Structure formats: structure tokens, C-alpha cells
């Protein structure tokens, strides 16, 4: 009887050891992510990304010769593809929306990585004008998100008037 108890105990210990090893192996593989460049893969629309959220910002500035709008990916949670357009609009009179202004310039990127920026510029041409930047982006080919800066007055010398 004592021998039977030892065999059952040994089998239970072996099962527990196998369970612990399996769980340890599963946990150690959770943090491993393999990223592949899918640019040359046909049918890559079937490849799923799993971004949970992103925070992008847009700013407008002037440097005397030109006005610029810069979009920045401040934070991305998860592996995702963030397609971004950054645009500049201007008007001779104050406007509350880019829709009422003249399109000046834009830049596009298929995937704006975390902490990276994209900038578009337009010349001032010695004119005092109102300027507005627009950012629109989508994460993992989902719905588009749009953000606008306030409208800024830039004088003929390329200085932002407060």
C-alpha cells in the first residue's frame, strides 16, 4: 500500500511540474512581439493590427518666411498603423473652420510612429493672413479622426500676432 501511495504522489508531482512548466512557458511568450515589414506582402489587408489608442497633436508656427503645421504622435498603445494627413489653410479674414479657408499645403504619411512628427509648410509671401492647421488620421484603417488648431493671425513679417 505504501508503494502505491509513493507512485501516486510521484505521478501527481510530475503532473504539477508539467503544469507549472506549461504556464511558465506561456507567460514568458506573452511579451514577445514579432513585427514584420508587410510592404511587399500581397493581400496585406488581411493582416490585423491591435492598436488600442493613440494621442496625436497638431501645432502651427511661423518663422518669418513660412508658416508650418506639425503633427506629432505623442502616444500609441499597442502595435498599430497610423495614417496621417497634416494640412495648412489660410484666409485674409478670420474664420472658425478650415472649411471656410483656402487650402495651402499638406503632407501625408502611411504610418506615423510614436514620438515622430510630420510637417507641412507654406510661404507667407509678405502678406498678413489668418492660418489654421488640420490633422486627420486613422488607426488601423478604422474611422478617421480630425483635429484643428485655433486660427492664428500671422503678420507680413512672419510673426504670430497674439
Amino acid at each position: 500500500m505504501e508503494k502505491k501511495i509513493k507512485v501516486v504522489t510521484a505521478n501527481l508531482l510530475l503532473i504539477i511540474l508539467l503544469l507549472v512548466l506549461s504556464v511558465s512557458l506561456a507567460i514568458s511568450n506573452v511579451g514577445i512581439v514579432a513585427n514584420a515589414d508587410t510592404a511587399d506582402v500581397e493581400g496585406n489587408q488581411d493582416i490585423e493590427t491591435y492598436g488600442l489608442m493613440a494621442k496625436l497633436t497638431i501645432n502651427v508656427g511661423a518663422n518669418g518666411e513660412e508658416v508650418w503645421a506639425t503633427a506629432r504622435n505623442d502616444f500609441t498603445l499597442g502595435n498599430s498603423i497610423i495614417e496621417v494627413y497634416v494640412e495648412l489653410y489660410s484666409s485674409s479674414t478670420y474664420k472658425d473652420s478650415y472649411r471656410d479657408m483656402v487650402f495651402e499645403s499638406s503632407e501625408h504619411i502611411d504610418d506615423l510612429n510614436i514620438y515622430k512628427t510630420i510637417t507641412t509648410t507654406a510661404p507667407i509671401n509678405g502678406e498678413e493672413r489668418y492660418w489654421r492647421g488640420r490633422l486627420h488620421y486613422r488607426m488601423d484603417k478604422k474611422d478617421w479622426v480630425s483635429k484643428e488648431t485655433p486660427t492664428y493671425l500671422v503678420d507680413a513679417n512672419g510673426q504670430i500676432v497674439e
Side-chain angles (χ1 to χ4, degrees), residues 76-93:
T76 304
L77 182 60
N79 184 23
S80 60
I81 295 171
I82 302 177
E83 183 177 7
V84 175
Y85 289 87
V86 61
E87 303 168 342
L88 267 173
Y89 295 84
S90 75
S91 175
S92 58
T93 59

Side-chain angles (χ1 to χ4, degrees), residues 1-16:
M1 178 84 167
E2 191 176 304
K3 189 174 183 178
K4 192 174 187 179
I5 291 175
K6 285 183 179 180
V7 170
V8 170
T9 305
N11 284 338
L12 282 175
L13 286 175
L14 183 60
I15 291 171
I16 291 172

